[in-house]
């Protein structure tokens, strides 16, 4: 008899199953894939931000040895539809055509112009220099406010405007009414700089055609193989049932691979034209230009309060940079934060408007947190500014306004119903670990002495909505897809288990966590569970991975599928044991008869009996396998408190993080070690936005931070040790009580760090430092305040 599980798996810090092949060099990155007759693609990209294409001549490139083919955008236009956007957020949204390769006009530096196909990647890349292009320069469109001015140059001249959409949300009382009765109204402008995702593995595509049957297999470093299959079938006209999409090992994404890119469509188009397998792997410099960017907003925030610190209302006006084209969820990304600007606070009025703006820059889309970090930044920054105006400690101001634990479930002014939370407990634990009062005393002493190195303390108390669903809410938001997720449990004849999941991991630890969930539900050893994912043929249903949805949607689907397996197995076990189903107990993978524990069958034994089908209940199919689809009724709402202490050298502008403490509440934890890893990574990316990273363009629209030499990605040496802990308020929305964690660290950390920098400099008259808070910007802020 197979050994049963030794104890509960959920809540246990298991080493990740998926790490062994990663650290021993046995990975299957897309770029590792080799097939017979493979050809390589290289893409000529525009060096100009905006220009008319008068002539694109690839004939000289075709004469190069080893070059098989070359195509312009016009050559490829037949048979290819516009690249998709699935989130038309308003009825009157402006949605320009988005060709995979430019035909008449280029609209950002990096826009594809032509494609070369050669026997190897180096020959293809070298042949690009032989392509002749004649341009007529057009004015770049870079400043969001100028882009909306009358007479501004147009990114898409046929549309007559650079305004993509205006999306309003007004809830509660009128903000004008609460403004009238407020004792204090504070206005602030915050800038969310553009960020460039830096996944460890660049994007890559391999397409293998099977000419006889018209079938295509596309390997892609993607977060969304199922979504890609649907949309690429629509773009290319390849029947969906003839297209198989595989996400092999994927080396990180952070939202940048939550995308259906032109290069994937190009791979299919070229493979179809040539009848040969093709590969494209982006260089890091291509990644900086052509992989979508994140953030890019101007936030005008207005908050109304009474003299004793009670919040009355919040008004938010956003200008959101769409870039040159609408990619898969470009217009909806800033709106994911629309419901989160009130954060954890009670107030009477909320007024939000977002205006999407086209510019001649790389398109924007989801980047870790996708709209919610921007929202948390704005409310947490202005809460600190309001505390200063009222003469209150920033923690005290938050205490006076947050939703208290006994008030849950609570419907926020933005209309979301938070199911559970305990902001007080998380904050008190964080303050204790941080030594808040002691640091405040030290800060006062250093300010009194006029120390040249100032101490600043930053606070960020947050909640977020994650687990992108439910489908009916997405419908109401005009999002084209659903938010459901699928899982199948297969009990094999030998007693082993296959978990088939529609979520597609790229570093989160799905294989380990799904094994733990299934092991507990089925009562089988953790080691006996395998997880199948990322292949649309092996996993025909799924909605993939983004928005901290995998556990709270996909993991719950696994749990329910396992429950169905047990229910089916119970019928077989009852038949074999000649007992009533109601008289069976199921514990640690064993069915036993109440009062007769010697009468027993393990679930593995039941699986084999089902395989043989020699003695099944009449009318029962010979399987205990089960499938389950979950469409949640609500989002998931993790929360927490992050505290940061920085030392700022007022003579050089250098900022050093002295200590960082966070206490997060992500509900029940499946694997504490994986949660720690997610929080650490998230904090690192949030700190990066606060202090280091920015996509910078010159006046002509050229990306001048287009390499790792110019775009500062912090290393481990640039980051402090983190003190992390948790409180646990289980979600009431799912049977495991879990909440999302993948983006929490990024959402909370950026305002904590910037609040700390500004807090250090307030005694010098500095009220804001624009991100990233580089030494130069900090020094300039100090000098400006001194004038």
């Amino acid at each position: 008899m197979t050994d049963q599980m030794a104890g509960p798996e959920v809540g246990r810090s298991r080493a990740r199953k998926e790490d062994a092949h990663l650290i021993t060099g046995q990975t299957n990155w897309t770029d590792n894939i080799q097939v017979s007759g493979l050809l390589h693609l290289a893409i000529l990209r525009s060096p100009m931000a905006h220009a008319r294409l008068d002539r694109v001549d690839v004939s000289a490139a075709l004469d190069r040895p080893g070059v098989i083919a070359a195509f312009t955008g016009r050559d490829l236009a037949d048979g290819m539809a516009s690249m998709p956007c699935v989130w038309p957020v308003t009825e009157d949204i402006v949605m320009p055509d988005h060709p995979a390769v430019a035909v008449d006009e280029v609209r950002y530096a990096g826009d594809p112009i032509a494609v070369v196909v050669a026997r190897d990647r180096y020959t293809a890349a070298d042949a690009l220099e032989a392509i002749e292009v004649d341009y007529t320069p057009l004015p770049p469109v870079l400043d969001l406010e100028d882009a909306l001015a009358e007479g501004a140059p147009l990114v898409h001249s046929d549309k007559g405007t650079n305004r993509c959409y205006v999306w309003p949300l007004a809830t509660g009382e009128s903000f004008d009414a609460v403004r009238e009765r407020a004792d204090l109204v504070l206005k602030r402008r915050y800038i969310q700089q553009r960020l460039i995702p830096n996944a460890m593995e660049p994007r890559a595509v391999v397409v293998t055609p099977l000419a006889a049957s018209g079938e295509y297999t596309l390997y892609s470093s993607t977060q969304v193989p199922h979504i890609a299959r649907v949309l690429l079938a629509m773009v290319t006209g390849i029947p969906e049932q003839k297209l198989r999409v595989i996400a092999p090992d994927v080396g990180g994404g952070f939202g940048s691979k939550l995308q259906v890119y032109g290069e994937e469509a190009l791979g299919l188009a070229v493979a179809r034209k040539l009848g040969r397998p093709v590969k494209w792997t982006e260089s890091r410099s291509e990644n900086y230009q052509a992989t979508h960017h994140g953030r890019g907003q101007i936030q005008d925030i207005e908050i109304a309060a009474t003299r004793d610190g009670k919040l009355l209302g919040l008004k938010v006006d956003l200008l959101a940079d769409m870039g040159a084209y609408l990619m898969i969820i470009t217009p909806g990304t800033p709106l994911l934060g629309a419901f989160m600007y009130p954060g954890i606070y009670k107030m009477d009025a909320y007024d939000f408007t977002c205006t999407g703006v086209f510019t001649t820059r790389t398109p924007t889309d989801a980047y870790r947190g996708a709209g919610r970090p921007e929202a948390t930044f704005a409310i947490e920054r202005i809460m600190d500014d309001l505390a200063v105006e009222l003469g209150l400690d920033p923690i005290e101001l938050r205490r006076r306004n947050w939703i208290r634990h006994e008030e849950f479930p609570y419907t926020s002014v933005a209309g979301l119903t938070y199911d559970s939370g305990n902001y007080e407990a998380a904050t008190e634990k964080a303050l204790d670990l941080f030594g808040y009062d002691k640091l405040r005393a030290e800060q006062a002493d250093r300010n009194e002495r006029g120390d040249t190195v100032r101490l600043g303390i930053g606070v960020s108390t947050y909640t977020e909505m994650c687990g992108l669903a439910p489908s009916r809410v997405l419908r109401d938001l005009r999002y084209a897809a659903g938010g459901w997720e699928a899982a199948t449990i297969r009990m094999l004849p030998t007693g082993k288990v296959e978990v088939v999941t529609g979520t597609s991991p790229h570093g989160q630890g799905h294989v380990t966590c799904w094994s733990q969930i299934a092991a507990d539900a089925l009562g089988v050893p953790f080691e006996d569970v395998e997880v199948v994912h990322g292949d649309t043929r092996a996993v025909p249903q799924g909605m993939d991975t983004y928005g901290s949805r995998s556990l709270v949607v996909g993991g719950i689907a696994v749990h329910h599928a396992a429950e169905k397996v047990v229910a089916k197995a119970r019928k077989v076990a009852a038949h074999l044991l000649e007992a009533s189903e109601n008289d069976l107990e199921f514990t640690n993978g064993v069915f036993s008869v109440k009062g007769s524990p010697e009468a027993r069958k393990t679930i593995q034994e039941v699986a084999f009996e089902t395989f043989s089908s020699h003695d099944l209940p009449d009318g029962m199919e010979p399987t205990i396998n089960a499938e389950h689809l979950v469409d949640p009724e609500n989002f998931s709402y993790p929360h927490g408190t992050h505290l940061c202490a920085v030392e700022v050298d007022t003579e050089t502008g250098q900022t050093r993080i002295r200590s960082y403490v966070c206490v997060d509440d992500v509900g029940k934890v499946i694997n504490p070690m994986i949660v720690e890893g997610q929080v650490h990574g998230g904090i690192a990316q949030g700190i990066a936005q606060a202090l280091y990273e920015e996509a910078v363009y010159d006046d002509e629209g050229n990306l001048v931070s287009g390499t790792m030499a110019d775009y500062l990605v912090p290393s481990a040496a640039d980051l402090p040790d983190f003190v992390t802990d948790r409180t646990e308020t289980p979600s009431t929305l799912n049977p495991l009580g879990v909440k999302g964690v993948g983006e929490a660290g990024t959402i909370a950390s950026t305002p904590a760090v910037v609040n700390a920098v500004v807090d250090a400099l307030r005694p010098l008259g500095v009220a804001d430092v624009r991100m990233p808070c580089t030494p130069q910007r900090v020094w300039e802020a100090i000098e400006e305040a001194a004038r």
Side-chain angles (χ1 to χ4, degrees), residues 131-274:
I131 298 175
E132 297 178 6
V133 184
D134 292 338
Y135 303 91
T136 296
L138 297 171
V141 180
L142 301 170
D143 182 272
L144 297 182
E145 291 176 305
D146 290 348
L148 297 177
E150 188 172 346
L154 297 176
V155 180
H156 299 275
S157 57
D158 60 318
K159 299 303 181 185
T161 182
N162 290 320
R163 182 177 284 103
C164 177
Y165 66 87
V166 177
W167 192 91
L169 175 69
T171 57
E173 294 183 40
S174 158
F175 183 79
D176 289 339
V178 301
R179 183 196 282 123
E180 286 298 316
R181 71 171 191 264
D183 298 318
L184 178 65
V185 178
L186 204 61
K187 296 181 181 180
R188 290 292 184 267
R189 168 168 283 200
Y190 304 122
I191 306 297
Q192 290 282 331
Q193 78 272 35
R194 273 179 169 249
L195 300 176
I196 301 176
N198 276 272
M200 187 172 290
E201 178 205 17
R203 292 186 292 123
V205 177
V206 172
V207 178
T208 60
L210 188 59
S213 61
E215 295 180 77
Y216 297 84
T217 298
L218 181 144
Y219 301 85
S220 181
S221 179
T222 180
Q223 298 173 219
V224 290
H226 295 91
I227 292 173
R229 183 191 189 210
V230 174
L231 296 182
L232 288 170
M234 295 168 64
V235 170
T236 63
I238 295 170
E240 186 181 349
Q241 73 274 17
K242 297 288 190 180
L243 178 58
R244 178 185 184 185
V245 178
I246 299 174
D249 289 321
V250 177
F254 312 118
S256 72
K257 297 174 183 173
L258 189 182
Q259 194 56 264
V260 177
Y261 282 103
E263 291 86 357
E264 293 165 315
L266 278 177
L268 287 165
V270 171
R272 178 167 55 185
K273 279 180 175 290
L274 301 180

Side-chain angles (χ1 to χ4, degrees), residues 327-344:
M327 299 190 76
I328 188 168
I329 60 168
T330 299
T333 298
L335 306 186
L336 286 169
F339 302 94
M340 289 279 87
Y341 279 84
I344 66 174

Side-chain angles (χ1 to χ4, degrees), residues 655 687-694 711-714 718-719 772-774:
T655 297
I687 290 173
Q689 178 173 9
L691 298 180
Y692 299 106
E693 296 187 24
E694 182 176 21
Y711 185 91
L712 185 52
V713 179
D718 299 305
L719 299 170
C773 301
T774 61

Side-chain angles (χ1 to χ4, degrees), residues 16-19 223 485 499-518 526 529-534 543-555 558 670-671 674 678 741-742:
R16 300 197 328 170
K17 282 184 173 183
E18 47 268 79
D19 285 349
Q223 298 173 219
E485 194 48 80
V499 173
V500 181
T501 177
T503 62
S504 186
H506 46 283
Q508 295 90 338
H510 293 184
V511 172
T512 302
C513 290
W514 283 206
S515 295
Q516 290 179 274
I517 291 169
F526 169 80
V529 183
E530 294 295 326
V531 178
V532 179
H533 59 79
M543 291 302 293
D544 305 318
T545 295
Y546 40 85
S548 299
R549 73 184 300 272
S550 292
L551 176 59
V552 296
V553 190
V558 171
I670 303 298
N671 187 313
I674 287 177
Q678 288 283 1
V741 70

Side-chain angles (χ1 to χ4, degrees), residues 397-446:
L397 178 62
R398 288 164 170 82
R399 282 195 182 108
R400 294 185 185 187
N401 289 284
W402 63 36
I403 304 156
R404 303 196 64 82
H405 71 275
E406 64 269 15
E407 296 178 283
F408 287 95
Y410 185 90
T411 300
S412 77
V413 69
L416 297 179
T417 299
Y418 302 164
D419 63 310
S420 66
N422 192 329
Y423 309 141
E424 307 98 295
T427 301
E428 289 307 315
K429 195 169 194 177
L431 292 171
D432 183 58
L433 291 168
F434 191 63
Y436 185 82
D437 292 339
K438 186 177 180 180
L439 282 168
R440 283 293 184 201
E442 180 187 342
Q443 179 188 46
D445 179 63
R446 289 168 71 160

Side-chain angles (χ1 to χ4, degrees), residues 417-717:
T417 299
Y418 302 164
D419 63 310
S420 66
N422 192 329
Y423 309 141
E424 307 98 295
T427 301
E428 289 307 315
K429 195 169 194 177
L431 292 171
D432 183 58
L433 291 168
F434 191 63
Y436 185 82
D437 292 339
K438 186 177 180 180
L439 282 168
R440 283 293 184 201
E442 180 187 342
Q443 179 188 46
D445 179 63
R446 289 168 71 160
N447 289 345
E448 180 74 21
R449 290 188 282 108
D451 200 329
T452 58
V453 178
R454 295 300 178 108
L455 177 64
I457 298 168
V459 178
S460 174
T461 50
Y462 79 98
T463 189
E464 66 140 329
M465 59 180 231
C466 57
L468 192 59
S471 297
R472 290 183 180 181
V473 171
L474 297 178
R475 173 203 63 194
D476 294 342
L477 293 173
R478 302 179 63 87
Y479 182 71
W484 53 266
E485 194 48 80
T488 299
I489 303 287
R490 296 197 288 244
M491 289 294 302
L492 305 181
T494 55
K496 308 304 181 184
V497 178
E498 286 181 336
V499 173
V500 181
T501 177
T503 62
S504 186
H506 46 283
Q508 295 90 338
H510 293 184
V511 172
T512 302
C513 290
W514 283 206
S515 295
Q516 290 179 274
I517 291 169
D520 272 5
L522 299 171
V524 301
F526 169 80
E527 295 77 11
D528 286 357
V529 183
E530 294 295 326
V531 178
V532 179
H533 59 79
D535 181 339
T536 60
R537 181 165 295 170
V539 187
Q541 295 189 100
M543 291 302 293
D544 305 318
T545 295
Y546 40 85
S548 299
R549 73 184 300 272
S550 292
L551 176 59
V552 296
V553 190
I556 299 304
V558 171
H559 174 79
H560 283 307
E563 288 185 322
K564 287 183 175 179
V565 169
V566 172
K568 286 185 175 183
R570 182 183 295 274
K571 293 181 182 296
V572 179
H575 176 75
L576 295 172
L577 294 170
E578 298 181 344
S580 165
E581 288 183 50
N582 295 331
D583 290 335
L584 290 189
E585 294 178 331
F586 182 69
T587 305
N588 292 335
V590 177
F591 293 98
S592 59
V593 179
K594 295 175 184 176
S596 302
E598 69 283 354
R600 50 183 279 152
K601 289 285 183 181
T602 68
I603 197 168
Q604 293 95 334
E605 290 172 322
V606 172
F608 186 83
E609 292 286 350
T610 307
F611 167 72
S612 71
S613 300
H614 292 169
D615 188 13
L616 292 182
D618 291 342
M620 184 170 183
E621 295 179 348
T623 180
I624 57 171
N625 298 343
E627 176 183 80
H628 192 87
L629 278 77
V630 165
D631 197 343
E633 297 180 4
N634 197 352
F635 300 98
S636 160
Y637 300 99
H639 68 84
T641 297
H642 287 225
L643 302 171
C644 178
V646 302
E647 292 184 325
V648 181
D649 189 323
T650 59
E651 295 179 334
T652 66
Q654 183 68 41
T655 297
R656 182 182 75 87
I657 297 179
R658 175 167 145 179
S659 62
Y660 195 101
V661 169
C662 66
V663 175
D664 295 292
D665 193 320
V666 297
K668 290 285 187 180
V669 172
I670 303 298
N671 187 313
M673 186 163 57
I674 287 177
V675 167
E676 288 290 297
Q678 288 283 1
V679 170
H680 279 215
I683 293 171
Q685 284 187 287
I687 290 173
Q689 178 173 9
L691 298 180
Y692 299 106
E693 296 187 24
E694 182 176 21
V696 179
Y697 286 82
D698 66 16
D699 292 340
E700 300 301 316
N702 300 304
L703 180 66
V704 296
S705 57
T707 72
M708 283 190 168
D710 308 298
Y711 185 91
L712 185 52
V713 179
S715 71

